[in-house]
């Protein structure tokens, strides 16, 4: 799968709340990184199985309903794309609406994600979820 096709498929899986399918896009030894991870939040998740486990309960936290903005940038390296996107939905626990923006740098090899660097704002996420403690608790089980 080409990187551009993979991005479209990944966003479709997120909208369908198919986290197992989303995690299945990673190579068996692929990596999910959070360069701006806050205290108590993992900076790196390694391996498809660990990524699947990490993402398993995401739909119980955030009900993603639409992608409100998306720009995909191809790079000089055909295996790497940069994706700017915004998602909107509902915080499951509070039923409050949310909208968050992300920038992802995705490296694709043999049709699978080898590396996904997820640049998002922990402060913005904490505001949506009700505070830093709620953010940390939500993503650390």
């Amino acid at each position: 799968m080409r990187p551009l096709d993979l991005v479209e498929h990944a966003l479709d899986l997120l909208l369908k709340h198919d986290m197992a399918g989303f995690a299945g896009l990673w190579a068996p030894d692929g990596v999910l990184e959070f360069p701006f991870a806050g205290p108590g939040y993992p900076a790196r998740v390694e391996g498809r199985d660990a990524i699947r486990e990490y993402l398993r309960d995401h739909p119980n936290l955030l009900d993603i309903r639409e992608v409100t903005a998306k720009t995909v940038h191809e790079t000089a390296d055909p295996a790497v794309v940069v994706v700017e996107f915004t998602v909107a939905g509902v915080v499951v626990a509070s039923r409050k609406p949310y909208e968050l923006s992300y920038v992802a740098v995705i490296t694709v090899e043999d049709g699978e994600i080898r590396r996904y660097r997820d640049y998002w704002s922990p402060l913005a996420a904490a505001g949506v979820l009700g505070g830093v403690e709620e953010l940390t608790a939500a993503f650390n089980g």
Side-chain angles (χ1 to χ4, degrees):
M1 184 177 305
R2 296 177 328 128
L4 296 176
D5 297 330
L6 189 138
V7 166
E8 292 301 323
H9 185 53
L11 291 174
D12 184 54
L13 291 168
L14 285 176
L15 289 172
K16 292 177 179 175
H17 303 147
D18 183 356
M19 302 318 286
F22 184 67
L25 297 175
W26 266 260
D29 60 347
V31 175
L32 174 59
E33 296 176 295
F34 303 99
F36 297 148
Y41 194 88
R44 185 177 175 96
V45 182
E46 297 184 44
R48 180 188 296 149
D49 292 338
I51 292 166
R52 182 176 289 116
E53 180 62 24
Y54 172 80
L55 295 171
R56 181 177 48 113
D57 290 328
H58 194 271
N60 297 327
L61 303 170
L62 299 173
D63 177 6
I64 297 172
R65 296 186 175 176
E66 65 179 312
V67 176
T68 60
K70 175 186 65 177
T71 303
V72 180
H73 304 276
E74 295 183 273
T75 69
D77 181 342
V80 178
V81 293
V82 177
V83 185
E84 300 175 75
F85 64 103
T86 302
V87 297
V90 175
V91 177
V92 173
S94 68
R95 304 307 304 159
K96 290 182 181 177
Y98 81 90
E99 189 169 53
L100 289 173
S101 295
Y102 303 82
V103 175
V105 180
I106 305 169
T107 303
V108 177
E109 291 178 9
D110 299 323
E112 297 177 309
I113 298 172
R114 172 72 47 204
R115 185 174 183 198
Y116 187 114
R117 284 175 286 156
D118 195 3
Y119 294 89
W120 57 279
S121 169
L123 290 177
V128 164
L129 290 170
V132 173
E133 293 81 16
E134 288 79 1
L135 172 68
T136 302
F139 286 98
N140 287 313

